[in-house]
Amino acid sequence: MSPTNQNRKPLYIAICTQKGGAGKSVFTTLVASYLHYQRGYNVAVMDCDYPQWSIYKMRQREAEQIERNSFYQNKAEVFFSKLNKLTYPIVPSQPEAGLQQAKEFLSQEKHIYDVVLFDLPGTVNNESVVQTYFSMDYLFVPITTSRINMESTLPFMISVNEMITMNQGNIKLRSIHPFWNMVASKEKQELYDYYEKAILELGIPIMQTRIPKSVRYDREQSIEGNDYLFLSTIFPPDKPLLKGSNLDLLVEEIITIVNN
Ligand SMILES: Nc1ncnc2c1ncn2[C@@H]1O[C@H](COP(=O)(O)OP(=O)(O)OP(=O)(O)O)[C@@H](O)[C@H]1O
Ligand SMILES: [Mg+2]
């Protein structure tokens, strides 16, 4: 993946997990915004998590709020005139129609996309959704050391990884990459070592970047006052909030993986 490479099809990436409330939509948004606004990639987001459509609805809320707020209007004017492109599109879709809709969307667009990020439903109860998972190029999975998270995420990662290893030619998916999310400063290192070893033995390497548990990940920034922003579909994270979030490290690690 390189910014606006004319010759390649966009990469399909999903930040996904079976576990509800683990950070799919938050990280899909943050990675999209960082790549698009900070790193020069052209990004599109397919919001396939119907009926929540949380990213699509966040964009709508932000767009409405910005209309009424001169601080953010000015910020947008300055930012987008320098950026020289628009916000990334967020396309709402039914889960089982995501692939087809992405294809149609891309064929109608004039400019080239480098990456399409999919927010997929955690419940894979339908053949087309299974197919959508295996039609991604890469999956990135937020995990935590909580037992309940491990119990639902491990079997998912194992079965996906088996399918990749046995690939019988009908799978596009290249690899699956778990990363630690919601890491508390007091948590025991031994627990991480234990799980990392166990997961590595299954042939699945855990990413190096660990995302701390932090309120900046837990709050949608409303574009109403004049605060720093972190989670937004219209702006990249502001530097003071980016610092210590490890989001930048996560995105750089993702770029390294997909360029390998
Ligand atoms: N590192 C973190 N620190 C603190 N809170 C976090 C962190 N990561 C995610 N969260 C919070 O966890 C909650 C769930 O995140 P999110 O909505 O992205 O999950 P999801 O996997 O999309 O959930 P769903 O299954 O409902 O679609 C949100 O309130 C989010 O802000
Ligand atoms: Mg979600």
Side-chain angles (χ1 to χ4, degrees):
M1 176 171 75
S2 62
T4 58
N5 184 337
Q6 304 281 326
N7 304 318
R8 280 186 53 175
K9 284 193 170 171
L11 275 181
Y12 281 10
I13 293 176
I15 294 164
C16 62
T17 164
Q18 305 301 95
K19 174 83 179 66
K24 287 187 292 288
S25 304
V26 163
F27 280 94
T28 305
T29 306
L30 286 166
V31 170
S33 293
Y34 196 85
L35 284 173
H36 189 79
Y37 301 127
Q38 201 75 45
R39 290 295 261 106
Y41 292 91
N42 276 337
V43 173
V45 170
M46 295 299 302
D47 190 344
C48 306
D49 202 3
Y50 173 86
Q52 295 189 60
W53 279 341
S54 47
I55 305 178
Y56 178 69
K57 288 179 187 164
M58 193 195 308
R59 166 65 63 77
Q60 286 183 322
R61 280 194 299 277
E62 287 184 292
E64 280 163 22
Q65 286 168 348
I66 217 170
E67 294 259 300
R68 299 191 298 264
N69 181 303
S70 58
F71 175 82
Y72 285 110
Q73 272 174 24
N74 291 339
K75 185 179 160 106
E77 236 163 75
V78 173
F79 179 69
F80 285 99
S81 65
K82 227 166 125 188
L83 188 72
N84 218 6
K85 63 178 180 183
L86 300 173
T87 55
Y88 52 85
I90 302 169
V91 183
S93 170
Q94 299 291 324
E96 58 286 350
L99 274 183
Q100 184 57 28
Q101 256 186 263
K103 209 170 146 194
E104 280 165 23
F105 170 77
L106 291 169
S107 73
Q108 286 160 8
E109 286 286 287
K110 278 202 275 305
H111 63 274
I112 309 281
Y113 287 91
D114 304 299
V115 48
V116 183
L117 284 159
F118 287 73
D119 194 5
L120 299 174
T123 330
V124 188
N125 55 2
N126 167 312
E127 187 52 38
S128 336
V129 178
V130 175
Q131 214 194 332
T132 309
Y133 268 83
F134 288 109
S135 300
M136 298 295 111
D137 292 290
Y138 297 93
L139 299 179
F140 295 93
V141 184
I143 55 170
T144 72
T145 51
S146 85
R147 194 160 168 179
I148 185 157
N149 184 305
M150 275 298 158
E151 277 174 5
S152 68
T153 314
L154 263 182
F156 165 71
M157 292 196 295
I158 292 168
S159 58
V160 168
N161 200 48
E162 270 174 7
M163 292 290 282
I164 297 174
T165 323
M166 297 184 325
N167 191 354
Q168 288 160 343
N170 52 351
I171 290 174
K172 186 174 161 222
L173 184 61
R174 295 181 220 180
S175 48
I176 179 166
H177 301 269
F179 63 92
W180 293 116
N181 185 25
M182 304 198 206
V183 174
S185 51
K186 291 201 193 84
E187 239 165 324
K188 287 203 178 71
Q189 178 61 37
E190 297 92 84
L191 204 52
Y192 287 95
D193 292 343
Y194 170 79
Y195 278 125
E196 288 201 4
K197 191 160 168 280
I199 296 173
L200 190 61
E201 275 167 14
L202 301 166
I204 309 173
I206 298 196
M207 292 173 73
Q208 277 171 12
T209 308
R210 292 181 180 180
I211 301 290
K213 189 176 175 66
S214 159
V215 286
R216 75 198 88 180
Y217 281 102
D218 198 21
R219 162 157 48 99
E220 177 182 331
Q221 267 75 31
S222 64
I223 300 193
E224 277 180 331
N226 56 0
D227 276 348
Y228 289 130
L229 292 175
F230 187 65
L231 177 63
S232 164
T233 73
I234 297 183
F235 294 106
D238 278 317
K239 283 217 171 68
L241 292 179
L242 189 60
K243 199 162 174 264
S245 71
N246 290 359
L247 174 70
D248 42 356
L249 302 181
L250 182 77
V251 178
E252 296 306 330
E253 199 176 348
I254 290 176
I255 293 174
T256 305
I257 289 170
V258 305
N259 280 335
N260 244 329

